[in-house]
Amino acid sequence: MFTTKGRYALRVMIDLAQHPENEYIPLKDIATRQDISKKYLEIIAKELVKGGLIEGASGKHGGYKLLRSPEEYSVGEIIELMEGTIAPVACLETGAPECTRACKCNTISMWTEFYELERNFFFGKKLSDLCN
């Protein structure tokens, strides 16, 4: 199950995508439109900046904006940044050590198939797809 942090991050990204590309959008405006606490959005925005998905500027005309066009962001990269891996089992996580039971695991093919479906869905869906 995805947390509010992941779901709200998607809402922030969609909100930013619906505004002119080179315009910084104040977080208070996003908070009002999305009906999300500005304090909570500050935490989310900080992680999105740290993850290289958006940039922020302070000052009178400050706020946040996307670093790329909405077509260049996958929903999967946003979710994984905020939630961590979407792998259904630890042995399928990126960089996981080889499972000692892999050769006799009766369920690994099912988990692999599910993971591929999940990854293809989320990484195949673009931020721009959610803006229309």
Side-chain angles (χ1 to χ4, degrees), residues 31-100:
T32 300
R33 280 192 298 272
Q34 297 300 321
D35 194 27
I36 302 171
S37 154
K38 182 177 177 270
K39 203 80 163 152
Y40 194 32
L41 285 188
E42 288 170 355
I43 295 166
I44 292 168
K46 187 175 183 178
E47 287 190 44
L48 291 170
V49 168
K50 186 178 174 186
L53 299 185
I54 64 173
E55 73 176 350
S58 54
K60 184 178 178 185
H61 299 288
Y64 294 90
K65 70 177 183 176
L66 298 179
L67 287 170
R68 298 178 263 156
S69 69
E71 297 80 20
E72 296 177 56
Y73 290 94
S74 72
V75 171
E77 74 178 303
I78 299 165
I79 290 173
E80 282 201 336
L81 174 67
M82 302 308 289
E83 302 282 348
T85 183
I86 59 173
V89 291
C91 60
L92 293 178
E93 290 179 359
T94 303
E98 189 172 329
C99 179
T100 57

Side-chain angles (χ1 to χ4, degrees), residues 11 13-20 34 66 70 130-132:
R11 288 169 55 185
M13 295 293 287
I14 292 166
D15 195 289
L16 292 173
Q18 292 173 329
H19 290 86
Q34 297 300 321
L66 298 179
L130 303 178
C131 294
N132 302 328

